[in-house]
Amino acid sequence: MTSERVRSDCFEAGIGTWRLRMYPEGYGRAKGTHLSVFLEAQDVMWAPSVEYAVTLVHQAEASRSFTYGGMPCDVTLKLPCGAEVPSISLFLQTASPFLRGALEDMSGSGLIPVDGSLGSWTYILSDLYLQHDAPLLTLDSVYLLLPVVHKYNFTKLLTWLVAFVKEKSTVLVPDPDLPHNSIMRWLALAERVQLDELREVCLSRLRGMTRKQLEQAILIPGAGAGKKCGVREEVQRLGPALWFELLAITAKECNT
């Protein structure tokens, strides 16, 4: 099968009209690793909540056929904002060793308190369920996502998010007036969550900057003639190892 997308004919089942949409090579985050199959409601005036199963029939060996049934939510994530997000424990415990332990210790209420915003968990769950309508990523949304993904040890998603930042690293700038793209903001985040991969992305970007750009990233200009420069707040939060890295980068640039 060479088509990127295959659609079935429409069919009626239950109280609606449906069709299947299949991507043989996977869709979105599942591309290249999964076969993606979606059930589409064709009655656009209503949005049903249904239980369903999809069976993939192996034409040569029936024993290798596979049935996937829509799983009901059996656990609820309690967010700091008060929101409660229904989820599926099997997906959580498979993707997150941290949450696996929390699920084992879960009380009869089925509630698991977690950190993070509603937007962050919406994206995380969309990624776990391999949904085709996952929210679009921006540097700002990734900045909020990374601490949550790192804390709960969603390893595959963490690797993908760091790769996203690396791909966008050319827009990370020394200007603190552009907070979403401020290189020091991202370096401070890498230090706060102790994420070596992100730290190296930021340092690599800093190594490519001029002396003037480095000064803009690190220092606060003095007000008025003869006033001493200060060090930006994000830089002050960095640990000794990163301070030495910045000094080495700055010294090298000054000597070239």
Side-chain angles (χ1 to χ4, degrees):
M1 186 177 295
T2 58
S3 294
E4 181 178 347
R5 179 179 65 188
V6 180
R7 282 193 171 102
S8 73
D9 294 333
C10 292
F11 59 92
E12 293 186 3
I15 57 172
T17 302
W18 315 84
R19 71 176 174 184
L20 294 175
R21 176 160 49 94
M22 181 178 73
Y23 296 83
E25 299 298 324
Y27 184 92
R29 290 290 312 284
K31 196 171 184 64
T33 60
H34 292 71
L35 168 72
S36 298
V37 182
F38 300 100
L39 178 66
E40 294 183 332
Q42 300 303 298
D43 303 85
V44 297
M45 297 304 292
W46 58 291
S49 175
V50 298
E51 292 186 10
Y52 67 95
V54 175
T55 299
L56 303 178
V57 180
H58 195 288
Q59 298 294 320
E61 298 179 48
S63 62
R64 297 178 63 184
S65 298
F66 175 78
T67 297
Y68 173 82
M71 297 181 183
C73 294
D74 58 353
V75 66
T76 301
L77 303 178
K78 179 75 172 181
L79 275 56
C81 65
E84 296 184 356
V85 182
S87 188
I88 301 171
S89 60
L90 178 62
F91 284 89
L92 293 175
Q93 65 187 10
T94 300
S96 168
F98 186 104
L99 288 176
R100 187 180 307 139
L103 286 164
E104 291 173 354
D105 299 334
M106 185 176 60
S107 65
S109 66
L111 285 174
I112 299 180
V114 292
D115 293 331
S117 67
L118 180 59
S120 293
W121 280 103
T122 297
Y123 187 87
I124 290 169
L125 296 178
S126 296
D127 178 77
L128 291 184
Y129 305 154
L130 297 173
Q131 291 180 351
H132 66 288
D133 56 350
L136 293 176
L137 282 180
T138 63
L139 278 174
D140 201 37
S141 63
V142 171
Y143 184 87
L144 297 175
L145 263 171
L146 272 171
V148 182
V149 172
H150 183 263
K151 175 175 181 176
Y152 294 103
N153 198 15
F154 292 104
T155 309
K156 291 183 179 179
L157 181 54
L158 181 64
T159 300
W160 193 83
L161 292 176
V162 172
F164 178 88
V165 177
K166 184 176 182 179
E167 182 182 345
K168 303 290 185 181
S169 63
T170 55
V171 303
L172 299 181
V173 295
D175 189 351
D177 294 329
L178 299 173
H180 301 333
N181 295 17
S182 169
I183 183 69
M184 285 305 172
R185 179 179 185 243
W186 284 90
L187 188 58
L189 173 64
E191 178 79 347
R192 175 161 57 89
V193 300
Q194 291 296 293
L195 188 52
D196 293 340
E197 297 90 339
L198 180 60
R199 185 185 293 119
E200 186 51 42
V201 169
C202 295
L203 290 174
S204 178
R205 175 67 177 135
L206 285 165
R207 293 184 189 108
M209 290 185 177
T210 65
R211 178 180 177 180
K212 184 176 180 180
Q213 288 174 321
L214 289 170
E215 290 177 349
Q216 185 183 18
I218 296 170
L219 301 176
I220 302 173
K227 295 289 185 180
K228 293 183 178 180
C229 295
V231 177
R232 297 199 181 280
E233 183 179 350
E234 294 88 348
V235 182
Q236 295 178 29
R237 299 196 197 110
L238 303 179
L242 272 181
W243 267 99
F244 283 117
E245 284 278 2
L246 289 177
L247 288 172
I249 292 171
T250 305
K252 183 178 180 180
E253 181 58 33
C254 290
N255 293 327
T256 57

